[in-house]
């Protein structure tokens, strides 16, 4: 009996400690569950605060599993609000711990989330790699919901990069599984995505047959969605209307767009309602029904205001087009200025180049009488000159002109030779710089990068999490420096996606707000021209970061007929173009030299305190 009592008293502290540990774990789970509910309600800041409370408890308890979930849920906050680089770092920390715990289900979730966040960063190759890792684990575990969701995400990635065939393949595989799981909503979503691939492909290649294919698929889906999923129904109706508009079947387009609008309004979908109103306004504009077009453009502004700057700004652009067509040039100019001032938007270079024509039309109305008067005065002066005096003057001028032209031609030839030598020297210098940059970048990647990778693997094998994270950060810095010296991904990703990644890097490293609209332009540049164009964009952005003191920057690259037209605009302090000191800065010199290499033209529009517009026009030589 005494022995039993002694054993009981001995075990009491251990039981108490175990009970306390279980209680703490229970509280951590409660914190995390509360945070998830707050995330669902979009109370992101409050959710993060609750996650951190649970995370601190998990660290004190040294519970690796709960620490990993703490990293995972913190990453969700940055996934919603940015920056995505922060969410990637936190998901990687969670992944490292889950891998050490051999929790394949959570490892797969981390891979999926990393794929999604790299997709948002336009790191499409990295994102695709993570998606396939997640897919492999879910297939090994036969976890069908995970397989289907990942296939859907891979399909959207391929759709975004213009690989429509692979996108359809992924959506079709996902659809088969969702039908098996009896998930009607996601099955319908993937059927809609399949139709979207045909519509996007039709828009890219201007193929009417593909538009009709998309429309037929959308119409098959309408009865399935109309009762259960009104949001999908509205989207399908809008897509049908948009497709008919591209086919210039305006009455059919209006029929479906107008059916879509009340559903979107009833569901409180302000962005979609504004988008549909803009589509309707543009359709009426194409039909030359300007009063109806204006009515819907104004409705688009009402729906978008406070909800979506993109659609609000685009509505002002539509109003600008309507007033221009109606020859209301003053009102058109006012709307165009409103369109320019709104920050978060798509920026089309074709539309910005029209503003000079608009100013000319507006001012010409006021100056017409003055010009006519001046022309009359010139004619009167000519009439007063005698024929004899005219012959004497013109004869003398003729002799002088011949002598002057001969001297000028000789001088110009000498100047051209000197200019060509200077240009060749500058181009050779830039070429040698690029070669040296490439050599250093290769050394960093092949030597330093490989050694850091080896250290990282060894630290992972020995569960040295802190050393792993430090090594990973150092490795990322080396890669960043290497990318700065030579954009190695230019060859892998192509020119368009490399420029998007470049802008994203500036977005992460600065407080500037970037708006990007870039057409696929890879086919129109040779390898050397691609590098020069990439460097040209890089120089312009570097100048803005260093000197402009701007808050927002717009980068727009458009294929227009036989040219690639690029606009890089900021709302910074601007500068006086006539100031030779500014024109002779090293940054601008380099920009002008690269423009010459590409045989393009550069136009700079800037005034003090009004921002700067760089407009680059590059002729297309390698179009296929």
């Amino acid at each position: 009996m005494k022995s039993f009592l002694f054993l009981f008293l001995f075990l009491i502290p251990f039981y108490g400690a175990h009970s306390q540990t279980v209680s703490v774990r229970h509280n951590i789970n409660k914190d995390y569950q509360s945070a998830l509910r707050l995330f669902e309600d979009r109370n992101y800041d409050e959710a993060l605060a609750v996650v951190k409370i649970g995370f601190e408890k998990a660290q004190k308890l040294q519970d690796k599993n709960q620490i990993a979930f703490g990293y995972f849920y913190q990453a969700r906050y940055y996934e919603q609000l940015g920056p995505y680089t922060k969410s990637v770092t936190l998901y990687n920390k969670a992944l490292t711990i889950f891998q050490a715990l051999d929790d394949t289900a959570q490892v797969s979730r981390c891979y999926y989330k990393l794929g999604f966040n790299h997709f948002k960063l336009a790191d499409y190759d990295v994102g695709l790699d993570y998606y396939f890792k997640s897919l492999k684990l879910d297939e090994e575990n036969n976890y069908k919901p995970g397989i289907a969701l990942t296939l859907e995400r891979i399909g959207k990635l391929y759709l975004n990069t213009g690989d429509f065939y692979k996108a359809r393949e992924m959506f079709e595989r996902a659809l088969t599984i969702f039908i098996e799981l009896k998930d009607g909503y996601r099955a319908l979503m993937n059927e809609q995505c399949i139709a979207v691939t045909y519509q996007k492909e039709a828009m890219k290649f201007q193929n009417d047959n593909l538009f009709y294919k998309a429309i037929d698929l959308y119409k098959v889906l309408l009865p399935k969605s109309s009762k259960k999923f009104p949001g999908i129904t509205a989207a399908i109706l809008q897509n049908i209307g948009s497709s008919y508009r591209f086919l210039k079947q305006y009455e059919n387009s209006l029929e479906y767009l107008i059916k879509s609008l009340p559903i979107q309004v009833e569901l409180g979908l302000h962005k979609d309602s504004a988008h549909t109103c803009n589509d309707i306004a543009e359709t009426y504009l194409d039909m030359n029904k300007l009063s109806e077009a204006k009515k819907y453009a104004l409705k688009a502004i009402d729906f978008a205001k406070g909800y979506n700057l993109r659609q609000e700004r685009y509505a002002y652009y539509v109003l600008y087009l309507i007033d221009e067509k109606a020859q209301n040039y003053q009102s058109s100019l006012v709307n165009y200025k409103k369109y320019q001032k709104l920050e978060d938007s798509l920026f089309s270079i074709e539309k910005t180049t029209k503003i000079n024509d608009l100013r000319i039309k507006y001012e010409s109305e006021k100056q017409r009488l003055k010009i006519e008067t001046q022309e009359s005065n010139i004619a009167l002066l000519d009439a007063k000159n005698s024929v004899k005096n005219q012959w004497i003057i013109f004869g003398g001028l003729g002799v002088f002109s011949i002598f002057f032209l001969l001297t000028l031609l000789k001088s110009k030839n000498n100047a051209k030779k000197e200019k060509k030598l200077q240009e060749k020297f500058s181009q050779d210098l830039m070429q040698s710089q690029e070669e040296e940059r490439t050599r250093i970048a290769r050394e960093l990647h092949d030597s330093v990068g490989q050694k850091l990778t080896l250290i990282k693997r060894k630290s992972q094998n020995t569960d040295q999490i802190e050393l792993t994270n430090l090594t990973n950060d150092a490795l990322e810095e080396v890669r960043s420096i290497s990318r700065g010296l030579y954009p190695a991904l230019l060859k892998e990703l192509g020119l368009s996606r490399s420029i998007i990644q470049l802008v994203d890097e500036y977005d992460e490293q600065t407080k500037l707000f970037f708006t990007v609209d870039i057409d696929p332009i890879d086919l129109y540049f040779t390898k050397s021209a691609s590098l020069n164009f990439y460097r040209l964009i890089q120089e312009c952005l570097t100048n803005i970061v260093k000197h402009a003191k701007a808050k927002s920057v717009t980068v727009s690259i458009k294929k227009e007929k036989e040219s690639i037209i690029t606009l890089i605009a900021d709302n910074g302090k601007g500068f006086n173009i006539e100031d030779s000191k500014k024109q002779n800065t090293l940054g601008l010199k380099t920009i002008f030299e690269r423009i010459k290499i590409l045989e393009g033209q550069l136009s700079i529009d800037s005034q003090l305190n009004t921002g700067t517009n760089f407009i680059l026009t590059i002729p297309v030589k390698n179009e296929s």
Side-chain angles (χ1 to χ4, degrees):
M1 184 69 179
K2 287 180 181 179
S3 298
F4 179 78
L5 182 61
F6 175 78
L7 181 62
F8 177 73
L9 292 172
F10 179 76
L11 289 174
I12 283 175
F14 294 97
Y15 176 78
H18 175 71
S19 177
Q20 186 178 8
T21 300
V22 171
S23 176
V24 173
R25 285 201 179 104
H26 179 68
N27 287 335
I28 295 169
N29 282 327
K30 283 180 66 178
D31 289 334
Y32 288 162
Q33 292 303 315
S34 297
L36 288 175
R37 286 191 292 272
L38 290 167
F39 276 126
E40 292 299 323
D41 294 335
R42 299 186 180 181
N43 296 323
Y44 299 119
D45 291 331
E46 193 176 345
L48 180 63
V50 175
V51 169
K52 286 184 175 179
I53 291 170
F55 182 64
E56 288 174 6
K57 293 174 185 175
Q59 287 180 312
K60 287 179 182 177
L61 195 63
Q62 295 183 345
D63 186 323
K64 289 185 177 180
N65 187 57
Q66 297 288 20
I67 290 170
F69 276 108
Y71 283 130
F72 190 91
Y73 294 137
Q74 287 179 73
R76 183 168 177 177
Y77 171 86
Y78 295 103
E79 180 179 282
Q80 293 293 333
L81 302 181
Y84 294 117
T85 49
K86 181 72 173 176
S87 58
V88 166
T89 300
L90 290 167
Y91 279 130
N92 272 315
K93 288 180 177 180
L95 174 64
T96 302
I97 299 173
F98 284 133
Q99 284 174 328
L101 295 172
D102 199 27
D103 188 340
T104 56
Q106 297 307 324
V107 167
S108 177
R109 286 185 68 197
C110 288
Y111 283 148
Y112 178 86
K113 288 291 188 180
L114 284 165
F116 177 77
N117 281 267
H118 278 288
F119 172 81
K120 290 292 186 180
L121 287 166
D123 294 335
Y124 298 127
D125 54 338
V126 179
L128 192 61
D129 184 53
Y130 279 119
Y131 278 143
F132 277 121
K133 286 180 179 178
S134 175
L135 183 63
K136 182 181 178 183
L137 284 176
D138 286 337
E139 285 177 338
E140 287 174 357
N141 294 324
N142 197 30
Y143 182 56
K144 291 186 178 180
I147 294 169
L149 281 172
T150 305
L151 287 169
E152 181 183 316
R153 278 290 170 193
I154 294 171
K156 288 180 178 179
L157 189 151
Y158 281 136
L159 181 63
N160 201 65
T161 56
D163 197 335
F164 305 114
Y165 179 80
K166 286 184 179 177
R168 276 194 289 274
E169 180 187 350
M170 294 299 156
F171 290 136
E172 286 166 357
R173 288 176 61 189
L175 173 63
T176 302
I177 299 172
F178 282 127
I179 291 172
E180 183 184 341
L181 295 171
K182 297 181 180 179
D183 188 335
Y185 176 78
R186 297 229 70 88
L188 191 59
M189 282 288 291
N190 278 270
E191 284 186 280
Q192 184 190 3
C193 285
I194 291 167
V196 169
T197 63
Y198 287 110
Q199 184 182 2
K200 295 285 187 185
E201 192 174 4
M203 291 168 67
K204 182 175 180 179
F205 297 109
Q206 297 295 301
N207 186 316
D208 289 0
N209 291 330
L210 289 174
F211 273 123
Y212 286 117
K213 174 77 172 177
I215 289 169
D216 289 343
L217 289 173
Y218 285 134
K219 287 183 177 179
V220 169
L221 298 178
L222 271 177
K224 299 180 184 179
S225 66
S226 57
K227 293 181 180 179
K228 293 184 179 179
F229 311 113
I232 296 179
T233 300
I236 292 171
L237 288 168
Q238 183 181 10
N239 287 337
I240 294 173
S242 176
S243 296
Y244 274 129
R245 180 170 165 263
F246 274 97
L247 291 167
K248 298 184 179 180
Q249 297 182 23
Y250 300 126
E251 295 295 344
N252 288 336
S253 174
L254 288 173
E255 177 189 349
Y256 285 94
L257 290 172
I258 290 170
K259 283 181 182 178
S260 173
L261 185 58
I263 303 172
Q264 293 166 335
V265 173
E266 186 179 348
L267 293 172
L269 303 174
H270 296 87
K271 173 191 169 184
D272 295 334
S273 300
H275 190 175
T276 301
C277 283
N278 276 326
D279 280 350
I280 294 171
E282 285 191 290
T283 305
Y284 276 125
L285 179 62
D286 290 339
M287 298 169 73
N288 208 32
K289 295 183 177 181
L290 302 186
S291 60
E292 289 295 312
K294 191 165 189 174
K295 181 175 77 173
Y296 278 96
L298 291 171
K299 282 186 178 183
I301 292 170
D302 290 338
F303 283 124
K305 196 173 290 292
Y307 292 95
N308 190 272
L309 280 169
R310 288 174 180 267
Q311 293 301 327
E312 183 183 355
R313 189 169 192 250
Y314 194 73
Y316 280 115
Y317 173 69
V318 175
L319 285 173
Y320 146 68
L321 289 178
I322 294 165
D323 285 330
E324 186 187 34
K325 201 166 189 178
Q327 296 184 342
N328 298 325
Y329 298 124
Q330 187 171 7
S331 176
S332 180
L333 183 58
V334 168
N335 285 319
Y336 196 92
K337 286 182 176 178
K338 287 180 181 178
Y339 162 69
Q340 279 192 314
K341 285 180 182 177
L342 292 173
E343 292 179 351
D344 182 17
S345 63
L346 297 173
F347 206 109
S348 173
I349 191 65
E350 180 185 5
K351 298 152 193 172
T352 60
T353 53
K354 289 185 179 179
I355 193 166
N356 290 327
D357 294 335
L358 183 61
R359 285 199 184 103
I360 292 167
K361 289 175 184 177
Y362 177 55
E363 291 299 326
S364 66
E365 300 250 326
K366 298 194 307 183
Q367 297 296 328
R368 181 170 53 81
L369 289 174
K370 184 177 179 182
I371 291 169
E372 288 176 357
T373 303
Q374 288 174 343
E375 288 175 347
S376 298
N377 290 337
I378 291 168
L380 187 62
L381 279 171
D382 288 342
K384 290 180 180 179
N385 290 328
S386 65
V387 176
K388 183 177 178 181
N389 287 338
Q390 286 179 6
W391 277 107
I392 291 169
I393 292 168
F394 290 147
L397 286 174
V399 173
F400 176 78
S401 297
I402 292 169
F403 177 79
F404 179 76
L405 283 171
L406 289 172
T407 306
L408 186 63
L409 283 171
K410 186 176 180 181
S411 176
K412 278 189 173 181
N413 287 334
N414 291 335
K416 281 182 180 178
K417 287 179 182 178
E418 187 176 350
K419 189 177 179 182
K420 283 183 180 179
L421 287 171
Q422 288 177 343
E423 288 176 0
K424 189 176 186 306
F425 173 78
S426 298
Q427 291 172 14
D428 290 343
L429 181 61
M430 277 193 271
Q431 180 63 32
S432 64
Q433 285 176 340
E434 291 295 348
E435 289 172 358
E436 184 63 13
R437 283 176 171 178
T438 304
R439 186 189 66 79
I440 296 170
R442 193 182 298 115
E443 287 293 326
L444 281 171
H445 180 271
D446 293 344
S447 178
V448 181
Q450 287 181 5
K451 288 176 182 176
L452 284 171
T453 302
L454 184 61
I455 294 169
K456 179 183 173 182
R457 287 178 181 172
K458 286 184 177 180
S459 63
Q460 285 176 333
N461 292 337
T462 54
D463 288 338
Q464 297 182 56
I465 295 171
E466 185 176 353
L467 179 58
T468 299
N469 293 334
L470 286 171
T471 308
N472 192 58
D473 290 342
L475 191 57
E476 286 300 319
E477 282 189 25
V478 168
R479 286 172 178 165
S480 178
I481 293 168
S482 179
R483 284 196 301 269
L485 288 168
Y486 178 76
L489 290 179
L490 192 61
K491 185 177 180 181
E492 299 173 19
L493 296 181
L495 182 57
S496 299
R497 287 165 61 193
S498 295
I499 293 171
I500 292 171
Q501 186 179 40
L502 174 67
V503 174
D504 285 342
E505 287 173 2
Y506 278 103
D507 193 20
E508 294 164 16
Q509 296 164 10
T510 68
K511 294 182 180 179
L512 291 169
F513 178 87
F514 283 85
T515 300
V516 182
D517 184 14
I518 298 176
D519 281 350
I521 57 171
D522 298 20
L523 297 176
Y524 309 120
F525 289 85
T526 62
K527 182 179 177 182
S528 60
S530 292
L531 180 57
N532 270 308
F533 186 75
Y534 179 93
R535 290 293 190 205
L536 183 58
I537 303 299
Q538 193 175 39
E539 286 286 349
C540 291
L541 294 178
T542 301
N543 272 355
I544 291 170
V545 172
K546 286 183 177 179
H547 307 298
K549 295 184 180 177
K551 291 184 180 178
S552 67
V553 180
T554 295
V555 180
S556 173
I557 302 175
K558 291 289 180 185
K559 168 67 171 62
E560 303 287 347
K561 296 182 180 178
E562 301 302 317
S563 300
I564 303 296
I565 302 178
T566 302
L567 172 75
I568 301 177
D570 68 71
N571 64 350
K573 65 180 184 179
F575 62 90
N576 186 353
I577 298 173
E578 301 302 322
D579 186 345
S580 60
K581 290 182 180 178
K582 292 288 183 183
Q583 287 191 343
N584 287 326
T585 59
L586 181 61
L588 284 178
K589 274 187 176 180
T590 307
I591 290 169
F592 279 112
E593 287 299 333
R594 290 198 186 277
I595 277 286
K596 288 175 186 174
I597 293 171
L598 293 166
E599 299 180 4
Q601 293 179 340
L602 170 63
S603 171
I604 303 175
D605 181 13
S606 182
Q607 293 179 1
L608 292 175
N609 302 317
T610 61
T612 302
N613 292 342
F614 287 89
I615 300 177
L616 319 172
T617 304
I618 312 295
V620 171
K621 290 191 173 182
N622 302 305
E623 187 171 355
S624 58

